[in-house]
Amino acid sequence: MAKKSFGQHFLLDLNITRKIARLAQVGEGDHVIEVGPGPGGLTRALLETGARVTAIEKDPRFLPLLEELALAADGALTIRVEDALGADEAALAGGAPAHVVSNLPYNVGTALLIKWLTGTFTPASMTLMFQKEVAERIIARPGDDAYGRLAVLAQTTANAALVMDVGPRAFTPPPKVSSAVVHLTPRADRPAPERLAALQTVTAAAFGQRRKMLRSSLKVLGGEALCAKVGIAPEARAETISVEGFLALADAWRA
Ligand code: SAM
């Protein structure tokens, strides 16, 4: 029985799970960390590619099924029963690169993405199923309704693309909303943690009052003077400022 509080919507169609594994571009020699394997549909498809998989599942009810799968996988599958929010992925990866692939539990999807974008463990790539509305917030561009803090954070740290739309009926039980897979690879020029912290402060203020002009929404951070330093019009609104513009504002505020 699927538990709603654990965001349990399962992918049982091998055509879909295989397609996600293909989109993840993983294979022989790769290490994949999968969050929430549940009954193991996507896990199976990932193992088929020849990748080694470490699966983190919070719900112990899946353990017997997953242990069976691990036995058949002959050492290629390791199972951890724990909450992925507290997991130490760097330790699980053992200092080597690891890819993250997951049909994410929607209630913790954004929190996990932020952890992987800003934390000490940077995945080699991420191939993640989100509810469509969250996927759109990740890839949104200035001027889009969905453009906000998440887009700026995701796009300063990673290259992100929506690679697959998935309708509710692909899942058992079907969720109320549509879903989409986003593929992210870390940017080589990913800002250092102090820059990211400043960026978070600036975007929180700017998008906290997204309809206001920056002169007023950024008032406590320097307002008009801060905008002038980086050549951004103080009359502009947060939703029109590029990712690079926000980084410039964050750097100027920090300086
Ligand atoms: N991968 C499976 C599939 O595609 O059929 C299941 C995906 S289901 C959307 C999300 C899974 O994540 C569930 O198995 C759920 O128990 C698990 N889960 C929920 N919260 C979790 C957490 N905080 N840490 C680890 N797993 C979690």
Side-chain angles (χ1 to χ4, degrees), residues 5-6 25-26 58 72 90 93 100 108 126 134 153 159 197 219 227 243:
S5 63
F6 280 26
Q25 298 168 45
V26 294
K58 186 174 166 185
V100 174
V108 289
M126 292 172 258
V134 175
L153 182 64
N159 296 310
K219 195 163 195 156
C227 292
V243 165

Side-chain angles (χ1 to χ4, degrees), residues 64-188:
L65 259 176
L66 292 170
E67 274 172 349
E68 231 173 82
L69 195 57
L71 209 60
D74 207 14
L77 173 61
T78 307
I79 303 149
R80 312 255 325 172
V81 178
E82 66 175 309
D83 186 331
L85 283 169
D88 181 351
E89 295 91 342
L92 294 177
H99 303 261
V100 174
V101 182
S102 176
N103 172 15
L104 285 169
Y106 292 153
N107 45 346
V108 289
T110 314
L112 284 169
L113 176 66
I114 291 173
K115 179 185 175 193
W116 297 321
L117 290 173
T118 63
T120 48
F121 166 73
T122 306
S125 74
M126 292 172 258
T127 309
L128 307 171
M129 178 89 73
F130 292 97
Q131 51 192 103
K132 179 87 185 275
E133 175 256 323
V134 175
E136 279 168 352
R137 285 204 283 125
I138 295 167
I139 60 154
R141 301 287 174 198
D144 293 347
D145 285 347
Y147 186 64
R149 294 183 68 187
L150 190 59
V152 176
L153 182 64
Q155 294 169 36
T156 41
T157 51
N159 296 310
L162 195 157
V163 290
M164 181 182 179
D165 279 306
V166 188
R169 285 199 309 207
F171 301 86
T172 309
K176 290 204 176 72
V177 294
S178 283
S179 305
V181 176
V182 179
H183 183 74
L184 303 107
T185 48
R187 276 175 65 153

Side-chain angles (χ1 to χ4, degrees), residues 6-12 34-39 41-42 56-59 62 82-85 103-105 107-108:
F6 280 26
Q8 291 179 348
H9 299 283
F10 305 120
L11 288 171
L12 306 174
E34 186 196 358
V35 167
L42 181 56
I56 307 172
E57 174 57 62
K58 186 174 166 185
D59 188 343
F62 294 113
E82 66 175 309
D83 186 331
L85 283 169
N103 172 15
L104 285 169
N107 45 346
V108 289

